[in-house]
Amino acid sequence: MSLRPPGGYLARMSESSGHRFHLNGAELVAEPDGCLWWPARGLLAVADLHLEKGSAGAVRGQLLPPYDSRETLLRLARTVGRLRPRRIVCLGDSFHDLGGASRLGEEERAALHALMAGCHWVWVLGNHDPAPPRGLAGEVVPEWVEGALCFRHEAAACPPRQVAGGEVSGHYHPKITLPGRHGSVRGRCFARAGNRLILPAYGAYAGGLDVFSPPLARLLGRSAEVYVLAGQRVLAVRTDAVRRLAGLDAARALP
Amino acid sequence: MPDAPPPSAPSLPALFGGWFAAKGWQPHAHQLDMLAAAAAGRNALLIAPTGGGKTLAGFLPSLIELAERPREGLHTLYISPLKALAVDIRRNVEVPVAELRLPIRIETRTGDTPQVRRERQRRRPPHMLMTTPESLSLILSYPDVPQMVGGLRCIIVDELHALAGTKRGDLLSLALARLQTLVPKARRVGLSATVAHPAELLAWLSRRGRADAGDVALVEGRAGARAEVEILETRERLPWAGHMALHALDEVMARIKGAGTTLVFVNTRAQAELVFQGLWRINEDNLPIALHHGSLSVEQRRKVEAAMAAGKLRAVVATSSLDLGIDWAAVDLVVQVGAPKGVSRLVQRIGRANHRLDQPSRALLVPANRFEVLECRAAADGVREMTLDGAPSPPGGLDVLAQHILGMACAAPFTADDLYAEVTSAAPYAGLARSDFDDVLAFVATGGYALAAYDRYHRLARSDAGTYELANKGFAQRYRMNVGTIVESTMVKVQLRGGRRLGEVEEYFVNGLLPGDTFMFAGELLTFVGLKETTAVCTRGGLGEPKVPVYGGGRLPLSTHLADRVRAMLADPSLWPLLPAAVQEWLRLQRWRSVLPRADRLLVETFPRGGKWFLVAYTFAGRNAHQTLGMLLTRRLERAGVQPLGFVATDYVIAAWSLGEPTDMDGLFDEDMLGDDLEAWMAESSLLRRTFRNVAVIAGLIERRHPGQEKSGKQVTVNSDLIYDVLRRHEPGHVLLRATRNDAARGLTDIGRLADLLARVRGRIDHRRLDRVSPLAVPILLEVGREQVYGSAMDALLEEAEALIREAMPELVDQDPAQPGLPL
């Protein structure tokens, strides 16, 4: 397995098809794979990698396909190869549990080292990985502040308008269901309200929490923007409109 | 009323003869034949219509044996597909036991049986145990099972026709194979309704898994009086499209008034709610009419069944939830609203009326649209001629085998050779390749992945002697919490605020509700208050247009046999006088404007309409195969450069529309579409994802329940779509993906049937290029835009969602001028 980022001029030139927006004055891009890109700083943020979630299940006898870490790292390597960040901030829950880092397979470990070698790597601690990953380099912090933005694992427990500065977090794995006439389309999404931005989970086995579920709804308030990961693109919609649309769609279901 | 036994038949022992006489009965010939089979120690398959004393015929040999030679221990095991049926049958068998004071203890064991009683049943089993396939698998997973079943003499499988060919049937067949190993002397008895191919059931019951093994006696009951099947000739205008048949409810109500008790069968739960509401709206006499479907709470359903049994109801509106079950002698009319879908299914439903052999059952078919008139006519002919649907059973599921293997490991260590020999004695697995068995075993033991990452974390440990055993005793508990092959989609409970639970609806439907929205459920108008964890809290009543829950996967496709009959009828005008005038007129117009589809050919019409070209193909392959065909046809049209825009499919017809004119029909319908195109589509299809989820749950890759879940309320399971994506990318040949493709080919995608169709029509396509829509194409065009396609969400339908959003709310489009090319 080669996780070496494809280098060169062409890779750097390729267009990002993400969604561009501003958070507390910083110009950011929500990438289609779920990373957050800050071009001015060369900073790439990624949340909830949940590496080795598969083997965490296997320890308990649930034998999930053991390919989740390599899948997650492959995806990250592609984006890193395209964007060439100077700094990568992992917003916590980077490993599914404390033993995760020591269960990494050889190839996956090499791939992670290769990714880390090219930039300044920051581990923000999360609830699944409250201690630094064993045997891995990188700076370990409870939160990372840079410019007008604060990167943390879990959003502060307050309504979006009380957020001081720009807040970038993970933890909640936001996802949304967009109703369509032929059934609904479900996808991971960024959720943004005011100065608050919550990143989608990046890990291959990381599930999702609906943006309308109470914990997320509390953090996002009545109306939030969501940037939905849809294949090669990102769709930007507002939650209040999706709510209305959901009602509208159910009415269509009447025979 | 019952006929006299043939002279050669054995007679009843005096005790039982006297009991029959006291009841004014004479034994049926098939009851005596079953006694003879038992006396000879043979397995037996009894095929008889309802009302023929079938259950008694199954139990009589055991009752006589235990009466003449009383003993302790489990003697007879009875397995029913329904918990409720197991309970009712126990009650029925208790009657002779009580009246003859026989020394026989009878108990039930289902998911509802308290833990304490289940423990006691294992230590001190009753003489007769009434159970379900799942509960039997559980029994077999305990290490002490040899003691419990050691004295077993007879295994009775009821409603065998409903179990064979399904995954529950697969599971049961494996359980019987294990029982065979534990107690080789136990006889197998199958009770079945009339079926098209008895040989399959003979094989299923055989100890060697083969119909020609000769170890199963076939006993056939006397056929009952022919059913009187009438098709409603509505006075209303016959609808062109739609499946609800609400136009005919006045006429249905009149029939209910004119009959003692009526069973009104419908095809979907949504239809049940609508028909029930519609009937009550015109129920001026306040007749007791009830509702019964699979999403209602068990208590609610049991209440309706009890009221029915007590003769307190005049009608029940029901889905397939009442297809099986205890006989209700009181029912004297069965109404089928909407298409019957298959002859066997219709026979089964009609059999729910008037369980007296010498009187005909009465049934009324109510077609909801013009094509359904044809289908009803064809089905009525099928019932008269007793030509039943019979697709050969698919081979046993590998996912079911995985579950069984884990269960066997819970009971005792085994060697691969022994277990393989045992498993292949079950008919569904008779053709199982050793390599497939080994792959499934490897999956159960270590996950079976090419990347040997989990050697440290196995579920089964292999001893030096080559036996497999459970690596951790705790896994047995988790196996037992997850046994079974019925996988429900994610459901949300429906509960009245501060009140009782009414049932469950699919999560998808609740996601579309806003507080204050009203919807119809359990025959009531409810207002949605909010979602509390996994419960939709509601209040009674409300304002506004109510929504009706849509349930996925509830609709059966039209059977192949019935489709053949419909095609034959269309092609033969001499049969038309049997049809309503409006339908005859419709077909005559079709013959004039276009041409009629011929039974041995495929008619394809193309015509322009509203700036688009429509292609309508009269394929009659059932909705599932048509959905697959639609996806593949769209790719073809794309490649032909005619810019397809969409398609819609019913059980009979498929219509696709495009900007350009499609011309080369032979190329479009070429069989080679089942090659690369199919592979490419299948890989992304949500139908495959859904199938994978079922396979993963049954095989034990994903656990539905786990210890401590109720306490923590936390989901520890991983979303099956995520697993599917990762596995497909990194190990496309994994045994669970193979199992998924096998299932999809015969289920939701119905590729087998599509392949048959394409092969049949090759070089036999009649293409009519018309200047406008033909009469026969009107119904399908009316479906455009109203069809609910289940589950094809991600299949290129993102665009659809976007278009909807744009249409409904243009202000949603992000205003950022730097991003003019945003997808919205």
Side-chain angles (χ1 to χ4, degrees), chain B residues 282-341:
Chain B
I282 52 175
N283 186 6
E284 286 154 9
D285 303 343
N286 273 322
L287 299 180
I289 298 176
L291 176 66
H292 193 286
H293 65 68
S295 283
L296 300 178
S297 68
V298 176
E299 304 81 67
Q300 184 116 340
R301 277 183 273 160
R302 289 299 99 80
K303 240 167 71 186
V304 170
E305 287 159 23
M308 190 73 182
K312 290 182 187 153
L313 296 178
R314 290 291 296 279
V316 181
V317 179
T319 61
S320 55
S321 59
L322 278 190
D323 278 2
L324 300 177
I326 192 77
D327 297 356
W328 289 322
V331 176
D332 47 15
L333 175 66
V334 166
V335 178
Q336 162 73 36
V337 177
K341 297 297 162 209

Side-chain angles (χ1 to χ4, degrees), chain B residues 709-742:
Chain B
Q709 179 185 34
E710 289 75 15
K711 272 185 226 148
S712 72
K714 249 194 211 162
Q715 286 271 207
V716 302
T717 58
V718 180
N719 181 318
S720 67
D721 284 358
L722 300 175
I723 300 171
Y724 175 76
D725 286 336
V726 168
L727 189 55
R728 187 162 61 82
R729 214 162 301 145
H730 294 273
E731 197 171 339
H734 191 265
V735 63
L736 289 195
L737 292 181
R738 272 159 35 215
T740 301
R741 282 189 287 266
N742 290 346

Side-chain angles (χ1 to χ4, degrees), chain A residues 1 3 51-52 69-70 73 95 99-117 123 133-137, chain B residues 456:
Chain A
M1 178 177 62
L3 292 187
L51 293 169
E52 292 302 303
S69 295
R70 86 172 44 191
L73 292 169
F95 286 90
S102 37
R103 289 197 309 271
L104 266 183
E106 264 173 53
E107 288 178 81
E108 285 82 356
R109 184 180 305 277
L112 184 55
H113 281 310
L115 277 173
M116 296 177 74
W123 302 108
R134 215 166 302 157
L136 287 169
Chain B
R456 283 171 296 165

Side-chain angles (χ1 to χ4, degrees), chain A residues 114-172:
Chain A
L115 277 173
M116 296 177 74
C119 62
H120 177 224
W121 193 279
V122 180
W123 302 108
V124 174
L125 297 176
N127 51 314
H128 279 259
D129 51 357
R134 215 166 302 157
L136 287 169
E139 186 170 351
V140 179
V141 296
E143 53 183 44
W144 180 261
V145 179
E146 180 154 350
L149 303 181
C150 174
F151 297 84
R152 52 171 66 123
H153 178 57
E154 194 174 338
C158 65
R161 59 178 185 284
Q162 290 173 21
V163 173
E167 179 194 73
V168 178
S169 63
H171 183 65
Y172 287 98

Side-chain angles (χ1 to χ4, degrees), chain A residues 15-171:
Chain A
E15 273 295 315
S16 155
S17 51
H19 173 67
R20 205 170 278 268
F21 63 102
H22 288 87
L23 187 73
N24 198 26
E27 191 186 8
L28 305 172
V29 185
E31 292 288 331
D33 67 341
C35 289
L36 180 72
W37 177 227
W38 189 357
R41 300 274 178 154
L43 181 150
L44 190 71
V46 59
D48 300 281
L49 296 173
H50 283 270
L51 293 169
E52 292 302 303
K53 180 166 179 176
S55 61
V59 172
R60 301 190 316 266
Q62 192 185 11
L63 305 169
L64 298 175
Y67 306 110
D68 56 320
S69 295
R70 86 172 44 191
E71 175 70 21
T72 304
L73 292 169
L74 268 169
R75 217 188 296 160
L76 186 58
R78 273 196 292 274
T79 302
V80 167
R82 181 164 55 84
L83 300 173
R84 293 306 179 99
R86 292 193 294 276
R87 174 170 292 138
I88 294 181
V89 180
C90 299
L91 295 178
D93 289 0
S94 306
F95 286 90
H96 189 66
D97 57 1
L98 280 175
S102 37
R103 289 197 309 271
L104 266 183
E106 264 173 53
E107 288 178 81
E108 285 82 356
R109 184 180 305 277
L112 184 55
H113 281 310
L115 277 173
M116 296 177 74
C119 62
H120 177 224
W121 193 279
V122 180
W123 302 108
V124 174
L125 297 176
N127 51 314
H128 279 259
D129 51 357
R134 215 166 302 157
L136 287 169
E139 186 170 351
V140 179
V141 296
E143 53 183 44
W144 180 261
V145 179
E146 180 154 350
L149 303 181
C150 174
F151 297 84
R152 52 171 66 123
H153 178 57
E154 194 174 338
C158 65
R161 59 178 185 284
Q162 290 173 21
V163 173
E167 179 194 73
V168 178
S169 63
H171 183 65

Side-chain angles (χ1 to χ4, degrees), chain B residues 259 342 773:
Chain B
V773 56

Side-chain angles (χ1 to χ4, degrees), chain B residues 161-180:
Chain B
H161 60 281
L163 282 168
T166 68
K167 290 198 174 184
R168 290 183 87 201
D170 293 347
L171 186 69
L172 180 57
S173 77
L174 292 168
L176 293 199
R178 171 45 61 103
L179 278 175
Q180 156 97 356

